[in-house]
Short mmCIF file of all heavy atoms in Angstrom, two decimals:
data_model
loop_
_atom_site.label_atom_id
_atom_site.label_comp_id
_atom_site.label_asym_id
_atom_site.label_seq_id
_atom_site.Cartn_x
_atom_site.Cartn_y
_atom_site.Cartn_z
N LEU A 240 59.43 8.94 -18.02
CA LEU A 240 59.39 10.21 -18.74
C LEU A 240 59.78 11.38 -17.84
O LEU A 240 60.50 12.29 -18.27
CB LEU A 240 58.00 10.44 -19.31
CG LEU A 240 57.59 9.63 -20.54
CD1 LEU A 240 56.23 10.08 -21.04
CD2 LEU A 240 58.62 9.79 -21.65
N ALA A 241 59.29 11.38 -16.61
CA ALA A 241 59.63 12.45 -15.67
C ALA A 241 61.13 12.50 -15.44
O ALA A 241 61.74 13.59 -15.40
CB ALA A 241 58.88 12.25 -14.36
N SER A 242 61.73 11.33 -15.32
CA SER A 242 63.18 11.25 -15.14
C SER A 242 63.91 11.72 -16.40
O SER A 242 64.94 12.42 -16.33
CB SER A 242 63.57 9.82 -14.79
OG SER A 242 64.96 9.68 -14.69
N LEU A 243 63.37 11.34 -17.57
CA LEU A 243 63.98 11.73 -18.85
C LEU A 243 63.98 13.24 -19.02
O LEU A 243 65.00 13.84 -19.40
CB LEU A 243 63.22 11.07 -19.98
CG LEU A 243 63.66 11.41 -21.41
CD1 LEU A 243 65.07 10.90 -21.67
CD2 LEU A 243 62.70 10.82 -22.43
N LEU A 244 62.85 13.90 -18.73
CA LEU A 244 62.78 15.36 -18.87
C LEU A 244 63.66 16.07 -17.86
O LEU A 244 64.26 17.11 -18.16
CB LEU A 244 61.33 15.83 -18.73
CG LEU A 244 60.58 16.06 -20.06
CD1 LEU A 244 60.33 14.72 -20.76
CD2 LEU A 244 59.26 16.77 -19.83
N LYS A 245 63.72 15.51 -16.67
CA LYS A 245 64.57 16.09 -15.64
C LYS A 245 66.03 16.09 -16.07
O LYS A 245 66.77 17.07 -15.91
CB LYS A 245 64.40 15.30 -14.34
CG LYS A 245 65.13 15.88 -13.14
CD LYS A 245 64.81 15.08 -11.89
CE LYS A 245 65.52 15.68 -10.67
NZ LYS A 245 65.20 14.91 -9.43
N GLU A 246 66.44 14.98 -16.69
CA GLU A 246 67.82 14.87 -17.17
C GLU A 246 68.04 15.76 -18.39
O GLU A 246 69.08 16.43 -18.50
CB GLU A 246 68.10 13.41 -17.51
CG GLU A 246 69.49 13.17 -18.09
CD GLU A 246 69.66 11.74 -18.58
OE1 GLU A 246 68.75 10.92 -18.36
OE2 GLU A 246 70.69 11.46 -19.21
N PHE A 247 67.08 15.78 -19.33
CA PHE A 247 67.26 16.54 -20.56
C PHE A 247 67.38 18.03 -20.29
O PHE A 247 68.17 18.73 -20.94
CB PHE A 247 66.06 16.26 -21.48
CG PHE A 247 66.18 16.88 -22.85
CD1 PHE A 247 66.83 16.20 -23.87
CD2 PHE A 247 65.65 18.13 -23.12
CE1 PHE A 247 66.93 16.76 -25.14
CE2 PHE A 247 65.76 18.70 -24.38
CZ PHE A 247 66.40 18.01 -25.40
N TYR A 248 66.59 18.54 -19.35
CA TYR A 248 66.58 19.98 -19.06
C TYR A 248 67.45 20.36 -17.87
O TYR A 248 67.37 21.48 -17.36
CB TYR A 248 65.14 20.45 -18.82
CG TYR A 248 64.31 20.48 -20.09
CD1 TYR A 248 63.31 19.53 -20.31
CD2 TYR A 248 64.54 21.43 -21.08
CE1 TYR A 248 62.54 19.55 -21.48
CE2 TYR A 248 63.78 21.46 -22.24
CZ TYR A 248 62.79 20.51 -22.43
OH TYR A 248 62.05 20.54 -23.58
N GLY A 249 68.27 19.42 -17.44
CA GLY A 249 69.22 19.75 -16.38
C GLY A 249 68.55 20.11 -15.07
O GLY A 249 69.08 20.96 -14.32
N ASN A 250 67.42 19.48 -14.80
CA ASN A 250 66.70 19.73 -13.54
C ASN A 250 66.46 21.22 -13.30
O ASN A 250 66.70 21.75 -12.21
CB ASN A 250 67.47 19.12 -12.36
CG ASN A 250 66.62 19.00 -11.11
OD1 ASN A 250 65.40 18.99 -11.18
ND2 ASN A 250 67.28 18.93 -9.95
N ASP A 251 65.95 21.92 -14.35
CA ASP A 251 65.74 23.37 -14.22
C ASP A 251 64.44 23.72 -13.49
O ASP A 251 64.15 24.90 -13.26
CB ASP A 251 65.74 24.02 -15.60
CG ASP A 251 64.57 23.55 -16.48
OD1 ASP A 251 63.85 22.62 -16.06
OD2 ASP A 251 64.39 24.10 -17.57
#
Side-chain angles (χ1 to χ4, degrees):
L240 285 185
S242 176
L243 177 65
L244 263 69
K245 186 176 181 179
E246 177 187 353
F247 186 87
Y248 288 108
N250 196 21
D251 65 353

